Amino acid sequence: MIVIRRRTIAIFFVSLVLCLMMFLTVNGKIIEVSAPVREIPIYSVENSEGKVSITFDCAWGAQDIPEILRILKEKNVKATFFVVGEWARRNPEETKMIAEQGHELANHSENHFKMSVLSKDKIKKEIMDCSKTIEEISGVKTDLFRAPYGDYNDTVISIARQNGYFTIQWSIDSLDWKPGITQEAILERVSKVSSGDILLFHNDTSHTAKILGKVIDIIKEKGLKPVPVSELILKDNFEIRHDGRQIPAGKKQ
């Protein structure tokens, strides 16, 4: 009985201390202390122009890159390719081809590690080494970063931003990487696209190159315009909503 009471008292005091930690007393006045703001990447973008972005994560093979680029050219669409530095070094011709055909190369880390478990120094190295690799191979500089597996935390986003990178996620995941998924299921997911969405695809999958033309047709039939991510996002005077929607600064939530 005494043990239970002591535990109850201990829990009470811990709760009280946590509550008091949310306030400071300045000149006799109690001032609320705001909790740290959570870092959020860009999942989608508020816009009234019908812009969306088709993105590809490139980490494994590269055999389908020429076919993907052929379809994009045929449909007159520019996309963004988030490439792993190690992938770019293994596939320099495909990397150059992406840039030469007017598409956007972006940073997907140097080695495709889970970023949230790395040290601060290692996070920075993964980002900076990838950009260096991309530039050495293609001559292209990038300020867009996507964490492998979509795995991020406050530290990852903060380090990326401090080094000049916008961290990009996605609002529509095609799940083209998922074993057993059908072309119909992918197209059904894509059919939900709306203005400001960022669509996630991968190269080196069973279906992506085969259905890319239909994906683009769905987007255009809805009156939307595919553009590279750098043409979709706001580069300054913006806020990121709790759901990852990037909006102009000061706009009512």
Side-chain angles (χ1 to χ4, degrees):
M1 194 72 173
I2 295 175
V3 173
I4 294 174
R5 288 178 178 175
R6 284 177 178 174
R7 286 179 180 173
T8 302
I9 293 170
I11 292 171
F12 170 77
F13 278 109
V14 169
S15 301
L16 179 61
V17 169
L18 290 174
C19 290
L20 291 174
M21 286 174 64
M22 299 300 294
F23 298 88
L24 288 176
T25 301
V26 179
N27 295 328
K29 295 181 179 180
I30 296 177
I31 300 175
E32 184 175 355
V33 179
S34 299
V37 177
R38 180 182 169 218
E39 297 275 7
I40 303 175
I42 299 170
Y43 282 79
S44 65
V45 181
E46 187 76 19
N47 77 80
S48 59
E49 301 173 11
K51 292 180 180 179
V52 299
S53 288
I54 297 174
T55 70
F56 299 91
D57 285 0
C58 304
W60 314 120
Q63 291 185 347
D64 58 352
I65 291 295
E67 177 63 7
I68 288 174
L69 294 177
R70 183 192 68 77
I71 296 167
L72 291 171
K73 182 176 181 180
E74 180 182 282
K75 297 291 185 177
N76 192 29
V77 167
K78 301 302 181 188
T80 300
F81 291 76
F82 287 87
V83 305
V84 172
E86 194 270 337
W87 181 91
R89 284 188 276 108
R90 282 189 286 109
N91 303 285
E93 294 307 313
E94 288 80 2
T95 303
K96 291 176 186 176
M97 197 182 303
I98 291 169
E100 289 169 353
Q101 295 195 23
H103 301 288
E104 186 168 55
L105 286 169
N107 188 315
H108 197 35
S109 84
E110 181 67 9
N111 294 289
H112 209 261
F113 295 143
K114 293 193 72 172
M115 301 291 283
S116 68
V117 301
L118 302 180
S119 67
K120 291 181 179 180
D121 289 343
K122 186 61 176 175
I123 291 169
K124 181 177 178 179
K125 181 173 173 57
E126 278 291 306
I127 295 172
M128 304 309 290
D129 283 358
C130 179
S131 285
K132 182 180 178 182
T133 298
I134 291 172
E135 186 172 359
E136 287 176 347
I137 292 173
S138 67
V140 172
K141 292 184 178 181
T142 181
D143 60 359
L144 304 177
F145 166 70
R146 173 177 285 163
Y149 313 103
D151 175 65
Y152 68 88
N153 57 19
D154 288 359
T155 302
V156 172
I157 300 175
S158 178
I159 290 174
R161 185 181 63 251
Q162 289 166 15
N163 288 278
Y165 294 86
F166 297 90
T167 301
I168 309 297
Q169 290 285 92
W170 56 84
S171 49
I172 294 182
D173 186 348
S174 69
L175 295 181
D176 57 354
W177 55 270
K178 191 174 183 179
I181 195 166
T182 65
Q183 294 184 12
E184 291 73 21
I186 295 172
L187 293 173
E188 173 63 24
R189 297 181 69 82
V190 171
S191 69
K192 298 177 175 62
V193 64
S194 61
S195 184
D197 276 331
I198 298 173
L199 295 88
L200 171 64
F201 294 92
H202 300 76
N203 79 301
D204 193 34
T205 68
S206 299
H207 303 306
T208 301
K210 297 175 184 176
I211 65 170
L212 181 56
K214 291 181 181 179
V215 167
I216 295 171
D217 289 342
I218 289 172
I219 292 172
K220 290 185 174 181
E221 285 168 5
K222 298 187 79 169
L224 303 172
K225 179 184 179 182
V227 298
V229 171
S230 62
E231 294 183 24
L232 174 68
I233 66 172
L234 305 169
K235 291 288 184 91
D236 51 43
N237 298 319
F238 66 84
E239 299 173 7
I240 300 178
R241 240 168 35 188
H242 63 91
D243 59 355
R245 184 81 163 179
Q246 187 190 40
I247 61 175
K251 182 174 181 179
K252 291 184 178 180
Q253 304 277 328

